[in-house]
Coordinates of all heavy atoms in Angstrom, one line a residue:
V1 N -43.8 -13.7 0.9 CA -44.0 -14.2 2.3 C -42.7 -14.6 2.8 O -41.9 -15.4 2.1 CB -44.9 -15.4 2.2 CG1 -45.2 -16.0 3.5 CG2 -46.3 -15.1 1.6
V2 N -42.4 -14.2 4.0 CA -41.1 -14.6 4.6 C -41.4 -15.8 5.5 O -42.3 -15.8 6.4 CB -40.5 -13.5 5.5 CG1 -39.2 -13.9 6.2 CG2 -40.2 -12.2 4.6
L3 N -40.7 -16.9 5.3 CA -40.9 -18.2 6.0 C -39.6 -18.6 6.8 O -38.5 -18.3 6.4 CB -41.2 -19.4 5.1 CG -42.5 -19.3 4.2 CD1 -42.6 -20.5 3.4 CD2 -43.7 -19.2 5.1
S4 N -39.8 -19.1 8.0 CA -38.7 -19.6 8.7 C -38.2 -20.9 8.1 O -38.9 -21.5 7.3 CB -39.1 -19.9 10.2 OG -40.0 -21.0 10.2
R5 N -37.0 -21.4 8.5 CA -36.5 -22.6 8.0 C -37.5 -23.8 8.2 O -37.6 -24.6 7.4 CB -35.1 -22.9 8.5 CG -34.0 -22.0 8.1 CD -32.7 -22.3 8.6 NE -32.2 -23.6 8.1 CZ -31.3 -24.3 8.7 NH1 -30.6 -23.9 9.7 NH2 -31.1 -25.5 8.2
A6 N -38.0 -23.8 9.5 CA -39.0 -24.9 9.8 C -40.1 -24.8 8.9 O -40.7 -25.9 8.5 CB -39.4 -24.7 11.3
S7 N -40.6 -23.7 8.6 CA -41.8 -23.5 7.8 C -41.5 -24.0 6.4 O -42.4 -24.6 5.7 CB -42.3 -22.1 7.8 OG -42.8 -21.7 9.1
V8 N -40.3 -23.7 5.9 CA -39.9 -24.1 4.5 C -39.8 -25.6 4.5 O -40.3 -26.3 3.6 CB -38.6 -23.5 4.1 CG1 -38.1 -24.1 2.8 CG2 -38.7 -22.0 3.9
W9 N -39.2 -26.2 5.5 CA -39.1 -27.7 5.7 C -40.6 -28.3 5.6 O -40.8 -29.2 4.9 CB -38.4 -28.1 6.9 CG -38.3 -29.5 7.1 CD1 -39.0 -30.4 7.9 CD2 -37.4 -30.4 6.3 NE1 -38.7 -31.7 7.9 CE2 -37.7 -31.8 6.9 CE3 -36.5 -30.3 5.3 CZ2 -37.0 -32.9 6.3 CZ3 -35.9 -31.4 4.8 CH2 -36.1 -32.7 5.3
W10 N -41.5 -27.8 6.4 CA -42.9 -28.3 6.4 C -43.5 -28.1 5.0 O -44.2 -29.0 4.6 CB -43.6 -27.5 7.5 CG -45.1 -28.0 7.5 CD1 -45.6 -29.1 8.2 CD2 -46.2 -27.4 6.8 NE1 -46.9 -29.2 7.9 CE2 -47.3 -28.2 7.1 CE3 -46.4 -26.4 6.0 CZ2 -48.6 -27.9 6.5 CZ3 -47.5 -26.0 5.4 CH2 -48.7 -26.9 5.7
L11 N -43.2 -27.0 4.4 CA -43.8 -26.7 3.1 C -43.4 -27.8 2.1 O -44.2 -28.4 1.3 CB -43.5 -25.4 2.6 CG -43.9 -25.0 1.1 CD1 -45.4 -24.9 1.0 CD2 -43.2 -23.8 0.7
L12 N -42.1 -28.1 2.1 CA -41.5 -29.1 1.2 C -41.9 -30.5 1.5 O -42.3 -31.3 0.6 CB -40.0 -29.0 1.1 CG -39.4 -27.7 0.6 CD1 -37.9 -27.6 0.7 CD2 -39.8 -27.4 -0.8
T13 N -41.8 -30.9 2.8 CA -42.1 -32.3 3.1 C -43.6 -32.5 3.4 O -44.1 -33.5 2.9 CB -41.3 -32.7 4.3 OG1 -41.6 -31.8 5.5 CG2 -39.8 -32.6 4.1
G14 N -44.3 -31.6 4.1 CA -45.7 -31.8 4.5 C -46.6 -31.6 3.3 O -47.5 -32.4 3.0
R15 N -46.5 -30.4 2.8 CA -47.4 -30.0 1.8 C -47.2 -30.6 0.4 O -48.0 -31.0 -0.4 CB -47.5 -28.5 1.6 CG -48.1 -27.8 2.9 CD -49.6 -27.9 2.9 NE -50.1 -27.1 2.0 CZ -51.5 -27.0 1.7 NH1 -52.3 -27.7 2.4 NH2 -51.9 -26.2 0.8
L16 N -45.9 -30.5 0.0 CA -45.5 -31.0 -1.4 C -45.0 -32.5 -1.4 O -44.9 -33.0 -2.5 CB -44.3 -30.1 -1.9 CG -44.7 -28.6 -2.0 CD1 -43.5 -27.9 -2.5 CD2 -45.9 -28.4 -3.0
G17 N -44.9 -33.1 -0.3 CA -44.6 -34.5 -0.3 C -43.1 -34.8 -0.7 O -42.9 -36.0 -1.0
W18 N -42.3 -33.9 -0.6 CA -40.8 -34.1 -0.9 C -40.2 -34.9 0.2 O -40.7 -34.9 1.3 CB -40.1 -32.8 -1.2 CG -40.4 -32.1 -2.4 CD1 -41.5 -32.3 -3.2 CD2 -39.7 -31.0 -3.1 NE1 -41.5 -31.4 -4.2 CE2 -40.4 -30.7 -4.1 CE3 -38.5 -30.4 -2.7 CZ2 -39.9 -29.7 -5.0 CZ3 -38.0 -29.5 -3.6 CH2 -38.7 -29.1 -4.7
S19 N -39.1 -35.6 -0.1 CA -38.4 -36.4 0.9 C -36.9 -36.1 0.8 O -36.5 -35.6 -0.2 CB -38.6 -37.9 0.7 OG -38.1 -38.3 -0.5
L20 N -36.2 -36.3 1.9 CA -34.8 -36.0 1.9 C -34.1 -37.1 1.1 O -34.3 -38.3 1.3 CB -34.3 -36.1 3.3 CG -32.8 -35.8 3.5 CD1 -32.4 -34.4 3.0 CD2 -32.4 -35.9 5.0
Q21 N -33.4 -36.7 0.0 CA -32.7 -37.7 -0.8 C -31.3 -37.3 -1.0 O -31.0 -36.0 -1.1 CB -33.4 -37.8 -2.2 CG -34.9 -38.2 -2.1 CD -35.5 -38.3 -3.4 OE1 -34.9 -37.9 -4.5 NE2 -36.8 -38.7 -3.5
R22 N -30.4 -38.2 -1.1 CA -29.0 -37.9 -1.4 C -28.7 -38.7 -2.7 O -29.1 -39.8 -2.9 CB -28.2 -38.4 -0.2 CG -28.5 -37.8 1.1 CD -27.4 -37.9 2.1 NE -27.8 -37.4 3.4 CZ -27.8 -36.1 3.8 NH1 -27.4 -35.2 2.9 NH2 -28.2 -35.8 5.0
P23 N -27.9 -38.1 -3.5 CA -27.5 -38.7 -4.8 C -26.6 -39.8 -4.6 O -25.8 -39.8 -3.6 CB -26.8 -37.6 -5.5 CG -26.4 -36.6 -4.6 CD -27.4 -36.7 -3.4
E24 N -26.7 -40.8 -5.4 CA -25.8 -42.0 -5.3 C -24.5 -41.6 -5.9 O -24.5 -40.8 -6.9 CB -26.4 -43.2 -6.0 CG -27.5 -43.8 -5.4 CD -28.0 -45.1 -6.2 OE1 -27.2 -45.6 -6.9 OE2 -29.2 -45.4 -6.0
R25 N -23.4 -42.0 -5.4 CA -22.1 -41.7 -6.0 C -21.7 -42.8 -6.9 O -21.5 -43.9 -6.5 CB -21.1 -41.5 -4.8 CG -21.4 -40.3 -4.0 CD -20.3 -39.8 -3.1 NE -19.1 -39.6 -3.9 CZ -18.6 -38.5 -4.2 NH1 -19.3 -37.4 -4.0 NH2 -17.5 -38.4 -4.8
R26 N -21.7 -42.6 -8.2 CA -21.4 -43.5 -9.2 C -20.5 -42.9 -10.2 O -20.6 -41.8 -10.6 CB -22.6 -44.0 -9.8 CG -23.1 -45.3 -9.5 CD -24.3 -45.6 -10.3 NE -25.0 -46.6 -9.3 CZ -25.7 -47.5 -9.6 NH1 -26.1 -47.7 -10.9 NH2 -26.3 -48.3 -8.7

């Protein structure tokens, strides 16, 4: 299935519950 960037974003955040995270610099 070919998905647009917006659809991939919705899949990750909406369906899978992922959130935007950035690693801590340590």
Side-chain angles (χ1 to χ4, degrees):
V1 178
V2 178
L3 298 176
S4 68
R5 290 181 64 199
S7 294
V8 172
W9 178 255
W10 178 84
L11 175 68
L12 294 176
T13 59
R15 294 283 289 173
L16 299 177
W18 289 17
S19 63
L20 180 62
Q21 298 178 359
R22 302 201 186 273
E24 290 185 23
R25 296 198 47 106
R26 254 182 210 211

